[in-house]
């Protein structure tokens, strides 16, 4: 992004963010059963002051907007609770009760949001739930609105493929992704003018209990209509946009359009800094364009799973058109420059947005950024390698760092040169040189402190909230060491949502391959709860350090061990370390094979270092 900013005199966003306010949670703090604070929106009260020199004025403005907390009327019969998590919870009133859209991250924040609604609108039962897409901040709190024992007969709607993507994204690469997310969201940073001031898409992520109830109704095609508790809904499937499984939908009787997370009041991520599958900005733009045409003339307000609504049909069309053009422009210009021979890093320096998009507040890079989005588009098409043979087989960070420091004249000279670059305002190269110095000599306290100071200055100047959080978390970790709480995505209810193949795959990616190279074993799992005449027999094979599995109807050779299970709950018990005997599992063959298999399973460190080797 350039230094050209939209007009701070334009108060439209503030007017819309305040429109329909009915009341707030006082105090704006949510705790769990043990009294632990899982959400504290009041911690952002400092944003009411003028922007200090420790923050970018544009990001400060976005923080002020996102920190608004309370229950808001969107239109007659539709309400949103905002500011009680990173996402919004939307409530649509039906004939007997309410339909809840996107029940936040945590059970505790969702329950608090529902209680706030009921305080102002009455104690209506939950008669339906809609998940707009497969990210955790849109389903994790579902048990806060549908506690155990209350879900029977309540339809839960989601886009096709939701469950697969919802439970797998944070499993296979979950440990690394969660660790990086602690940087992206500024976990552990103080909420202060010189600390975490938001994430652009909202203020932060709650840290309560994650839950998931599988959908009962799949939305499989655009144009599909469903009626839930008397509420008519028309769906548009948008797979491959902001999430692999996502959908927009219209409430025709309310003349209101839900845009999920496909159109928010900032530039979104094509690839999140925490890590994920690269999103398709081309198809994202296509589905926004399709929404403009498909729903034309049938709504008076557009609202999303984050931020505040946009009122007026023409205003929504203009907003969607600019969001459409934003993702299309990034995609097409990256491809143009890519085909001219430029690398991802070069494209990120060359590309500029058109003035009309540059001056739109909702086009600013608070959550995604033009720089890392264009690199992601390059990665989607050409991968990590830029074609330069010098980059094909580079040394790993520590070895590379030692040689850079040697070339710079040794640690003392490298530090002096880095200080000079920092003093001259070249913070980017100062950070690069200091990073090499720290990786070459992680015990160099002076180098770590100077690098922390450079990261701090880069963070204070960042318009992008996630960049700011990465810089400031890096500075904090250099000074204080690894720390900070992280969201637990491995609780029993999430595990119960995984399919049997997903559970086995989660074991496979944890196998210490080199230790298992010379082993060769087979274990059959017979699952009696699978609806076939004889259940399902799934064969696990550990061979050459790789654990693979497949369904076998009539095995040609016997397995070394056969375990007969009543269902998935027993499999989860095995994975938790209980014995077959404790779980009542049938055993045939060499029972020692199970312990041998599990002996190769590793448990990753959830607090591995990032800014040091």
């Amino acid at each position: 992004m350039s230094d050209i900013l939209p007009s701070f005199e334009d108060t439209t966003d503030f007017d819309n963010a305040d429109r329909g306010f009915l009341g707030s949670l006082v105090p704006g703090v949510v705790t769990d059963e043990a009294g632990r604070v899982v959400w504290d929106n009041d911690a952002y009260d400092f944003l009411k002051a003028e922007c200090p020199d420790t923050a970018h004025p544009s990001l400060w403005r976005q923080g002020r907007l996102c920190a608004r907390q309370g229950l808001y009327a969107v239109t007659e019969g539709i309400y949103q609770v905002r500011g009680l998590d990173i996402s919004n919870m939307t409530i649509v009133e039906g004939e007997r009760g309410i339909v809840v859209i996107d029940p936040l991250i945590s059970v505790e924040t969702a329950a608090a949001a529902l209680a706030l609604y009921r305080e102002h609108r009455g104690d209506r039962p939950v008669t339906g739930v809609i998940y707009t897409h497969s990210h955790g901040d849109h389903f994790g709190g579902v048990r806060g609105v549908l506690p155990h024992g209350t879900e029977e007969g309540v339809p839960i709607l989601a886009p096709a493929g939701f469950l697969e993507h919802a439970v797998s994204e944070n499993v296979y690469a979950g440990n690394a992704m969660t660790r990086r997310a602690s940087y992206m969201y500024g976990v552990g940073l103080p909420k202060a003018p010189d600390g975490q001031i938001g994430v652009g898409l909202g203020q932060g992520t709650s840290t309560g209990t994650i839950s998931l109830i599988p959908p009962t109704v799949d939305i499989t095609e655009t144009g599909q209509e469903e009626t839930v508790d008397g509420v008519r809904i028309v769906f548009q499937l948008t797979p491959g946009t902001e999430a692999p499984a996502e959908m927009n939908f219209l409430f025709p009787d309310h003349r209101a359009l839900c845009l999920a997370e496909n159109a928010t009041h900032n530039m979104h991520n094509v690839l999140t800094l925490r890590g994920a599958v690269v999103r398709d900005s081309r198809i994202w733009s296509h589905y926004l364009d399709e929404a403009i045409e498909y729903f034309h003339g049938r709504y008076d307000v557009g609202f999303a799973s984050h931020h505040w609504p946009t009122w007026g049909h023409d205003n929504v069309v203009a907003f969607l058109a600019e969001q459409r053009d934003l993702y299309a422009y990034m995609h097409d210009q990256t491809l143009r420059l890519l085909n001219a021979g430029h690398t991802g890093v070069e494209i990120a320096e060359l590309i500029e947005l058109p003035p009309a998009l540059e001056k739109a507040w909702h086009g600013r890079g608070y959550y995604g950024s033009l720089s890392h989005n264009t690199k992601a588009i390059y990665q989607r098409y050409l991968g990590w390698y830029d074609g330069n043979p010098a980059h094909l087989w580079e040394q790993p960070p520590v070895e590379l760092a030692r040689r850079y420091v040697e070339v710079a004249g040794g640690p003392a000279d490298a530090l002096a040169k880095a200080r000079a670059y920092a003093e001259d305002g070249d913070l980017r190269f100062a950070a690069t040189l200091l990073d090499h110095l720290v990786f070459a000599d992680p015990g160099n306290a002076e180098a770590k402190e100077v690098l922390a100071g450079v990261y701090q200055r880069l963070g204070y100047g960042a318009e992008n909230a996630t960049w700011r959080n990465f810089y400031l978390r890096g500075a904090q970790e250099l000074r204080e060491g690894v720390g900070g709480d992280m969201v637990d995505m491995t609780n029993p209810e999430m595990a119960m949502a995984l399919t049997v193949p997903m559970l086995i795959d989660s074991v496979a990616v944890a196998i210490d391959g080199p230790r298992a190279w010379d082993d060769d074993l087979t274990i059959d799992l017979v699952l009696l709860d699978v609806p076939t005449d004889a259940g399902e027999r799934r064969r696990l094979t550990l061979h050459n350090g790789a654990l693979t599995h497949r369904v076998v109807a009539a095995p040609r050779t016997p397995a070394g061990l056969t375990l007969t299970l009543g269902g998935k709950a027993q499999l989860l018990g095995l994975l938790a370390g209980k014995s077959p005997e404790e779980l009542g599992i049938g055993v045939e063959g060499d029972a020692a094979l199970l312990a041998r298999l599990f002996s190769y399973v590793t448990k990753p460190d959830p607090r591995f270092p990032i800014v040091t080797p």
Side-chain angles (χ1 to χ4, degrees):
M1 286 281 181
S2 74
D3 293 331
I4 301 172
L5 289 171
S7 171
F8 281 88
E9 303 301 315
D10 181 0
T11 63
T12 303
D13 285 337
F14 289 92
D15 295 340
N16 285 343
D18 290 334
R19 180 169 171 172
F21 177 73
L22 296 175
S24 59
L25 181 68
V26 180
V29 178
V30 180
T31 59
D32 63 13
E33 290 182 352
R36 181 178 66 92
V37 173
V38 301
W39 179 258
D40 183 0
N41 203 70
D42 292 349
Y44 294 102
D45 283 350
F46 65 84
L47 286 165
K48 296 173 183 175
E50 292 302 308
C51 180
D53 59 7
T54 56
H56 194 290
S58 176
L59 180 58
W60 192 264
R61 174 189 181 277
Q62 184 77 350
R64 279 181 162 179
L65 287 161
C66 291
R68 282 158 158 73
Q69 180 260 109
L71 176 69
Y72 296 81
V74 176
T75 190
E76 184 69 29
I78 299 181
Y79 301 84
Q80 282 191 322
V81 179
R82 304 199 286 269
L84 286 186
D85 215 319
I86 188 175
S87 48
N88 302 333
M89 189 166 92
T90 304
I91 296 167
V92 183
E93 295 176 348
E95 294 176 352
R96 298 179 294 105
I98 54 175
V99 179
V100 173
I101 304 171
D102 289 351
L104 310 182
I105 292 179
S106 300
V107 170
E108 296 84 357
T109 54
L114 181 59
L116 179 62
Y117 164 82
R118 286 172 170 165
E119 176 186 337
H120 292 273
R121 295 293 301 166
D123 190 10
R124 305 165 191 243
V126 174
T127 50
V129 173
I130 301 175
Y131 303 139
T132 61
H133 61 289
S134 53
H135 291 152
D137 51 326
H138 304 273
F139 65 78
V142 66
R143 284 296 182 192
V145 300
L146 279 180
H148 285 281
T150 66
E151 70 269 28
E152 187 173 351
V154 177
I156 300 176
L157 290 71
F162 166 88
L163 190 60
E164 174 190 353
H165 297 295
V167 299
S168 66
E169 179 173 304
N170 293 305
V171 174
Y172 303 144
N175 193 68
M177 193 178 291
T178 301
R179 176 73 172 103
R180 283 168 49 157
S182 72
Y183 267 57
M184 179 172 172
Y185 296 111
V187 176
L189 290 175
K191 309 231 177 0
D194 60 350
Q196 202 262 20
I197 60 176
V199 299
L201 197 63
Q203 289 309 94
T205 53
S206 65
T207 57
T209 307
I210 309 294
S211 63
L212 174 59
I213 305 175
T216 61
V217 179
D218 286 341
I219 306 305
T220 59
E221 60 182 352
T222 293
Q224 184 172 336
E225 295 193 29
E226 300 288 341
T227 299
V228 180
D229 191 15
V231 177
R232 290 197 302 136
I233 316 166
V234 181
F235 292 92
Q236 177 204 12
L237 274 186
T238 63
T241 52
E242 189 272 337
E246 191 149 357
M247 60 187 183
N248 300 326
F249 42 93
L250 175 75
F251 295 98
D253 298 328
H254 298 78
R255 293 188 59 81
L257 177 62
C258 177
L259 296 163
E261 203 169 319
N262 288 319
T264 55
H265 289 280
N266 56 208
M267 180 190 293
H268 213 295
N269 283 301
V270 175
L271 175 59
T272 70
L273 299 183
R274 64 181 167 86
V277 175
V278 180
R279 296 156 186 175
D280 188 344
S281 50
R282 179 191 63 84
I283 204 72
W284 196 333
S285 172
H286 163 77
Y287 280 123
L288 288 173
D289 193 50
E290 182 181 79
I292 291 172
E293 180 63 26
Y294 185 69
F295 295 115
H296 184 76
R298 295 194 279 172
Y299 58 85
D300 300 315
V301 60
F303 64 92
S305 303
H306 296 269
H307 299 142
W308 49 94
T310 299
W311 281 272
H313 183 272
D314 291 347
N315 293 331
V316 177
V317 170
F319 169 62
L320 288 176
E322 288 183 334
Q323 287 277 301
R324 172 201 65 196
D325 295 347
L326 179 66
Y327 297 108
Y329 187 88
M330 283 193 294
H331 175 272
D332 296 348
Q333 296 310 303
T334 298
L335 267 291
R336 178 180 67 84
L337 293 167
L338 172 159
N339 282 317
H342 294 289
T343 67
V345 172
E346 292 169 339
I347 294 168
E349 298 297 308
L350 290 170
I351 195 167
E352 292 183 295
L353 289 180
L357 297 180
E358 188 86 346
K359 293 179 181 179
W361 283 115
H362 64 85
R364 304 302 295 184
Y366 302 121
Y367 191 54
S369 76
L370 186 60
S371 175
H372 75 253
N373 278 346
T374 53
K375 293 171 188 171
I377 295 166
Y378 181 96
Q379 177 182 325
R380 181 177 178 88
Y381 283 93
L382 293 184
W384 62 270
Y385 180 47
D386 63 5
N388 184 335
H391 303 150
L392 183 59
W393 192 30
E394 289 184 304
Q395 289 164 318
V398 171
E399 294 305 317
L400 194 63
R402 288 173 180 164
R403 286 158 176 78
Y404 265 107
V405 172
E406 182 182 346
V407 169
D413 284 352
L415 181 58
K417 289 172 182 175
R419 285 186 188 274
Y421 280 110
E423 289 168 3
D424 288 343
D426 190 348
L427 299 178
R428 292 168 68 181
F429 188 70
T432 298
L433 189 51
L434 286 162
D435 177 64
H436 285 310
L437 184 51
V438 168
F439 268 72
D441 181 12
N444 190 326
E446 187 177 7
K448 288 165 74 174
E449 177 54 39
V450 176
L451 179 55
V454 169
Y455 283 161
Q456 186 170 290
R457 289 172 63 187
L458 284 165
Y460 290 169
E463 183 181 20
N464 181 281
T466 59
W467 283 35
R468 175 187 174 95
N469 291 337
F470 259 85
Y471 282 130
L472 297 186
R473 278 288 280 121
Q476 182 187 58
E477 199 160 299
L478 285 166
R479 288 168 171 156
E480 302 173 13
V482 178
D485 294 332
M486 287 181 281
V487 175
D488 179 15
M489 294 296 290
T490 60
N491 63 73
E493 185 153 13
M494 281 294 293
M496 275 300 293
L498 270 70
T499 63
V500 168
M502 288 175 181
L503 286 169
I504 299 171
D505 285 340
S506 71
V507 174
V509 299
I511 294 290
D512 185 339
R515 284 182 49 232
W517 281 345
D518 298 325
D519 209 340
D520 188 357
L521 60 85
T522 57
I523 298 175
D524 279 2
L525 301 180
V526 178
L527 298 156
L528 299 179
D529 65 338
V530 175
T532 63
D533 289 343
E536 175 185 271
R537 179 182 293 265
R538 184 169 291 271
R539 174 156 294 187
L540 282 60
T541 302
L542 181 66
H543 189 65
N544 289 323
L547 179 64
T548 58
H549 58 98
R550 66 180 183 273
V551 173
V552 288
R556 290 190 299 272
T557 58
L561 170 65
T562 298
L563 300 173
T564 302
L565 299 83
K568 187 166 62 176
Q570 287 179 311
L571 177 58
L572 286 168
L574 281 180
L575 298 180
K578 293 183 179 180
S579 69
E581 292 75 17
E582 289 179 90
L583 297 165
I585 293 173
V587 178
E588 180 183 345
D590 185 358
L593 292 184
L594 184 64
R596 209 162 90 202
L597 173 63
F598 285 165
S599 73
Y600 300 120
V601 176
T602 60
K603 184 173 177 58
D605 180 0
R607 287 179 168 77
F608 59 79
I610 291 178
V611 291
T612 54

